[in-house]
Amino acid sequence: MSRFILALDQGTTSSRAILFDRNGRIAGIEQKEFPQHYPQSGWVEHDANDIWQSQLEVAQTLLRKQSITAGDIAAVGITNQRETTVVWDRKTGEPICPAIVWQDRRTAALCDRLRAEGKEDIFRRKTGLVLDAYFSGTKLNWILTNIPDARTRAERGELAFGTVDSWLIFKLSGAHVTDSSNASRSLLFDIHAGTWDAELLALLDIPAALLPEVVCSSGIAAQCDAGWFGAALPIAGIAGDQQAATFGQACLQQGMVKNTYGTGCFMLMQTGEQAFVSDNKLLTTIGWSMQRQDERHTCYMLEGSIFVAGAVVQWLRDGLGIIQHSNEIEALAAQAKDNGGVYFVPAFTGLGTPYWDPYARGSIHGLTRGASKAHLARAALESIAYQTADVLSAMQKDASIPLKELRVDGGASRNDLLMQFQADMLGVPVVRPQVTETTALGAAYLAGLAVGFWESEQEIVALWQTDRRFEPGRSDEQRKELLTKWHKAVSRSQRWLIDED
């Protein structure tokens, strides 16, 4: 009997492969970073072949180091950085240009034009998304418009478009598919009808021939070529990273909320089979879809998206050099008893929820001669918590369900100083699970359910266990004072690239 699920977790800055056993525990993990490219201000690119090669390498290395064969693996689950856009030649499998990363802002002007033409409500109503450069549809339009012969070749059916899940599945199996959670992040997919939408495709001038087939998040979608891992393996779970993390956190009841602290920061509330429309600039998105008794069931979510979270720590490491390793940030920040009046708005690529300002840029406020690198480190960590508080505020205005606790995961969730400050700023407990690799775990669960490795969602709920619970420890007055100054700092960063009269 197969002992493991292999999860491929393709992130913004690294690719990972993780083996999970039947108890949802990690049996082995491999990770490899790959290069980031910033050709112009606001542009972020990846080499799609770097993504593929790094992901394949960590998977093969993991199996070799753990002495695992294909016979030990029941299925493969894939989770991915969302919205990052890849276009490749269907015959050669080679990308026609660099992948445009979700953080990239080059299509902000196109979004402005569509908004000025009164098209925003069409996108909002059908996709649940705001009209923003964040999503893959405008990135795909840019590629078709700016890469020589791309549109002509696309219309002839020679090219394929996909987000990173599609790209990896194509390289592993030759199949051209995506799941509904990733499709829902494209500005091209009607989340209510569950189909690619002809009107949206026309608005962004995108040929339908480019698009992948949309399949369930849990279900056998393709078979890995036997050459990659020694035998054919079913790809049975697919979900965008934040939806996968929500599933991995066992947020399987309406009203449950998780927050993932990765390169960006993403808070999702599970809303069941009803797609709620946000009045506070949250996104309505598909969480996952499953086939049950010949019917596809779709779970929806409200989402708040923060573009820069863990990336601010990487900037302190790589840009300023005030730390050598990311895990040094907590000890450095703890040297300051408070932020010393310093506020750091990490709007390196604009601001997401609830501001949706692609023209904002990063800024640091309140510096004095007494400010130290410890204050800067603390301000950087606090910026993550403040942004999360902004998202939760919007979420609670939209939802009638009071938040009982926030389940957290991702790399920065291991930072106790940040998690305590987060609880202080939210006024609700913050709960960290024993397994914090919940993005990969969610992909594994989706795959495992499809092949009978786990029997039910109830079994998955029973596997979730608490590592630590952080209780709020500040008064409402203290919380309000800190957030008021944060919002003042944010106002100074907004519309930075816009010339004001």
Side-chain angles (χ1 to χ4, degrees):
M1 181 179 291
S2 300
R3 298 183 292 153
F4 306 108
I5 299 291
L6 173 61
L8 305 183
D9 181 0
Q10 205 301 300
T12 307
T13 58
S14 68
S15 296
R16 295 186 297 171
I18 305 179
L19 286 169
F20 290 97
D21 65 18
R22 291 183 183 274
N23 293 316
R25 298 293 182 182
I26 294 173
I29 183 170
E30 286 290 326
Q31 178 171 348
K32 183 176 182 179
E33 292 191 0
F34 59 90
Q36 312 289 301
H37 303 283
Y38 309 99
Q40 296 185 35
S41 174
W43 288 31
V44 188
E45 295 179 348
H46 291 158
D47 183 329
N49 281 322
D50 286 343
I51 292 174
W52 159 241
Q53 293 294 339
S54 61
Q55 188 65 78
L56 180 64
E57 180 182 334
V58 292
Q60 292 178 333
T61 300
L62 175 62
L63 300 190
R64 184 175 65 253
K65 285 186 176 181
Q66 298 294 324
S67 300
I68 298 297
T69 68
D72 295 310
I73 298 172
V76 176
I78 293 177
T79 184
N80 55 286
Q81 53 166 312
R82 302 174 304 172
E83 297 95 17
T84 294
T85 300
V86 187
V87 177
W88 65 91
D89 185 299
R90 289 183 182 271
K91 288 185 178 180
T92 67
E94 286 298 310
I96 67 168
C97 63
I100 302 180
V101 179
W102 59 272
Q103 298 164 314
D104 190 283
R105 312 307 294 165
R106 76 185 67 181
T107 60
L110 171 59
C111 295
D112 290 344
R113 178 172 63 78
L114 289 167
R115 196 175 295 111
E117 293 172 357
K119 307 300 184 185
E120 183 168 27
D121 184 62
I122 299 172
F123 286 99
R124 182 71 169 166
R125 177 166 40 85
K126 291 188 175 186
T127 71
L129 308 176
V130 298
L131 191 53
D132 190 81
Y134 176 28
F135 305 106
S136 52
T138 61
K139 302 178 194 302
L140 178 54
N141 172 280
W142 189 94
I143 291 172
L144 296 177
T145 302
N146 291 276
I147 302 302
D149 298 325
R151 188 174 301 281
T152 300
R153 296 184 65 201
E155 291 169 348
R156 292 200 300 255
E158 297 175 7
L159 303 181
F161 150 74
T163 41
V164 169
D165 58 310
S166 294
W167 168 240
L168 293 178
I169 293 167
F170 182 85
K171 299 297 282 187
L172 286 167
S173 71
H176 186 209
V177 301
T178 190
D179 89 299
S180 53
S181 74
N182 280 293
S184 73
R185 312 295 295 188
S186 64
L187 286 173
L188 307 173
F189 190 76
D190 186 327
I191 63 172
H192 310 286
T195 58
W196 300 115
D197 187 84
E199 183 180 19
L200 300 176
L201 290 171
L203 286 173
L204 287 173
D205 198 14
I206 292 170
L210 276 168
L211 304 176
E213 176 189 357
V214 181
V215 300
C216 284
S217 309
S218 181
I220 297 176
Q223 296 282 339
C224 293
D225 187 279
W228 299 124
F229 304 119
L233 292 173
I235 299 171
I238 312 166
D241 51 10
Q242 303 313 315
Q243 291 96 327
T246 309
F247 203 89
Q249 282 277 34
C251 292
L252 305 183
Q253 292 184 359
Q254 188 179 28
M256 297 184 73
V257 182
K258 74 88 199 174
N259 199 35
T260 295
Y261 299 79
T263 302
C265 203
F266 302 87
M267 181 183 288
L268 280 77
M269 172 183 281
Q270 214 257 61
T271 64
E273 294 194 25
Q274 183 176 358
F276 286 95
V277 176
S278 172
D279 295 322
N280 293 281
K281 298 186 178 180
L282 294 170
L283 308 177
T284 305
T285 196
I286 291 176
W288 50 77
S289 56
M290 296 184 174
Q291 200 77 17
R292 295 175 183 154
Q293 298 177 345
D294 298 325
E295 284 189 21
R296 181 178 293 192
H297 290 260
T298 300
C299 177
Y300 294 93
M301 299 185 174
L302 286 172
E303 175 177 333
S305 306
I306 296 166
F307 296 154
V308 174
V312 72
V313 178
Q314 292 175 323
W315 182 74
L316 293 179
R317 180 192 69 187
D318 302 334
L320 293 189
I322 68 172
I323 54 174
Q324 296 299 310
H325 303 283
S326 294
N327 59 11
E328 297 171 6
I329 189 70
E330 182 173 5
L332 177 59
Q335 293 176 17
K337 62 180 175 60
D338 54 37
N339 65 16
V342 177
Y343 288 80
F344 187 165
V345 183
F348 299 145
T349 56
L351 290 169
T353 309
Y355 305 101
W356 295 109
D357 182 355
Y359 303 108
R361 286 298 179 266
S363 59
I364 301 171
H365 303 268
L367 292 174
T368 66
R369 285 291 299 271
S372 67
K373 61 181 181 181
H375 290 114
L376 186 58
R378 191 175 189 103
L381 289 181
E382 289 185 357
S383 75
I384 301 171
Y386 292 136
Q387 291 178 94
T388 300
D390 285 344
V391 172
L392 180 62
S393 176
M395 196 168 279
Q396 292 191 313
K397 290 175 184 175
D398 275 330
S400 59
I401 307 168
L403 183 66
K404 295 180 180 179
E405 65 181 24
L406 178 67
R407 293 188 174 186
V408 298
D409 55 71
S413 71
R414 301 186 188 96
N415 187 312
D416 290 349
L417 186 152
L418 172 58
M419 292 300 98
Q420 182 58 58
F421 189 75
Q422 186 70 88
D424 293 345
M425 288 301 99
L426 298 182
V428 298
V430 168
V431 186
R432 183 172 62 203
Q434 288 187 7
V435 178
T436 57
E437 299 292 350
T438 54
T439 301
L441 181 58
Y445 280 155
L446 290 166
L449 285 171
V451 299
F453 192 80
W454 291 289
E455 294 297 329
S456 68
E457 292 181 14
Q458 290 72 29
E459 184 180 356
I460 287 167
V461 170
L463 292 173
W464 191 92
Q465 293 182 311
T466 299
D467 169 59
R468 183 168 173 182
R469 186 179 181 90
F470 298 85
E471 298 287 346
R474 298 197 189 219
S475 67
D476 289 342
E477 291 75 14
Q478 290 172 316
R479 185 182 308 121
K480 183 177 179 180
E481 181 182 357
L482 289 166
L483 287 170
T484 297
K485 291 180 178 177
W486 159 254
H487 292 140
K488 183 178 180 180
V490 169
S491 71
R492 302 295 197 268
S493 290
Q494 288 182 275
R495 297 176 60 81
W496 182 257
L497 297 184
I498 300 295
D499 292 329
E500 306 285 1
D501 293 331

